[in-house]
Amino acid sequence: MSLDENYLYLSNALKNAIILPVLVIENVEDAVPLAESLLEGGCSSVEVTLRTEAALPAMESIAKALPELSLGAGTLLEPEQFLQVKNAGAHYALSPGTTRTLAQAAIDSQVAYVPAAATPSEVLELRELGFKIQKLFPAGASGGIEMLKSLASPIADVRFCPTGGVSTSNVNDYLKQPNVICVGGSWLAPKNLVAEKNWSAISKIVRESLSDVS
Ligand code: 3PG
């Protein structure tokens, strides 16, 4: 897909998602029930991070079992990972920061990509490369809502998925910002509930988070 087609895909997928759970999956057998519980709660997309050995097989399982879910692959740090996640069935990729090498690998592999920025100059550099949907990471530590407000007027055509420090207490304030397309975070799938395989509690967190915003 071209950069324009990828932009359209991300624009729809992230706008529909509203909230994007950031997942660190330790056991591949948790992947499908966890994704099902998030889907059941109202999520339409998840970010499976490449932080564990189980991540790629987890993506394969989710892609096969739940094709209706928009599957994001997160924590891409190396250029070769774009093809790896594409082959595992991911629909798009995200990084906690971005280099020109990573941006070029996304373009070359034709993977829809949400690169990350934390300063106005980084936002502009990614914008020049054609990326108008970006992660603001780490959102809280880089200025949070005040940073988004400051970016909105001078860089009006870039939309953000703030991630890092988002929680039930501030998710609504983030989503109210006109330049926010969705918000991401780990609060939607707490580690202890995943370890306990408490899938219904995870669905409940998602339902509550979404009911607050809609
Ligand atoms: C990420 O992995 O993108 C962030 O670490 C998620 O941050 P959070 O744990 O503060 O939600």
Side-chain angles (χ1 to χ4, degrees):
M1 283 201 286
S2 70
L3 212 54
D4 283 349
E5 286 168 322
N6 282 335
Y7 174 79
L8 273 181
Y9 175 79
L10 287 173
S11 192
N12 285 324
L14 297 184
K15 193 166 169 233
N16 289 338
I18 306 172
I19 51 175
L20 179 66
V22 175
L23 308 179
V24 180
I25 299 178
E26 301 285 352
N27 301 305
V28 70
E29 65 271 19
D30 289 339
V32 172
L34 172 59
E36 274 171 346
S37 69
L38 293 161
L39 189 63
E40 156 79 22
C43 285
S44 60
S45 186
V46 298
E47 173 184 340
V48 177
T49 60
L50 280 181
R51 296 180 205 173
T52 62
E53 300 251 314
L56 284 172
M59 285 177 211
E60 283 171 21
S61 307
I62 294 170
K64 200 166 158 197
L66 302 168
E68 67 273 41
L69 203 58
S70 171
L71 178 58
T75 320
L76 272 78
L77 306 181
E78 310 291 342
E80 60 272 19
Q81 291 174 322
F82 284 90
L83 281 180
Q84 290 169 4
V85 303
K86 188 177 188 178
N87 291 337
H91 300 114
Y92 67 100
L94 313 95
S95 300
T98 312
T99 64
R100 284 202 164 239
T101 313
L102 288 176
Q104 193 57 50
I107 293 165
D108 292 344
S109 59
Q110 301 190 338
V111 173
Y113 181 42
V114 186
T119 67
S121 297
E122 290 169 4
V123 172
L124 285 182
E125 184 149 13
L126 293 171
R127 181 181 174 279
E128 265 178 30
L129 294 171
F131 297 100
K132 292 194 177 168
I133 296 175
Q134 304 176 10
K135 212 165 144 158
L136 178 70
F137 183 83
S142 66
I145 288 158
E146 291 309 314
M147 171 66 110
L148 288 159
K149 282 184 178 162
S150 303
L151 291 168
S153 176
I155 315 178
D157 60 355
V158 175
R159 285 178 295 165
F160 297 93
C161 171
T163 308
V166 182
S167 66
T168 43
S169 65
N170 60 16
V171 60
N172 279 324
D173 293 332
Y174 273 106
L175 285 167
K176 277 183 201 147
Q177 304 311 310
N179 55 349
V180 166
I181 186 165
C182 71
V183 296
S186 62
W187 91 93
L188 294 156
K191 271 186 187 164
N192 63 317
L193 295 182
V194 176
E196 291 164 15
K197 302 191 192 299
N198 193 342
W199 311 128
S200 59
I202 290 174
S203 298
K204 191 164 171 254
I205 293 174
V206 175
R207 264 196 299 276
E208 285 173 358
S209 294
L210 283 172
S211 74
D212 281 352
V213 300
S214 42

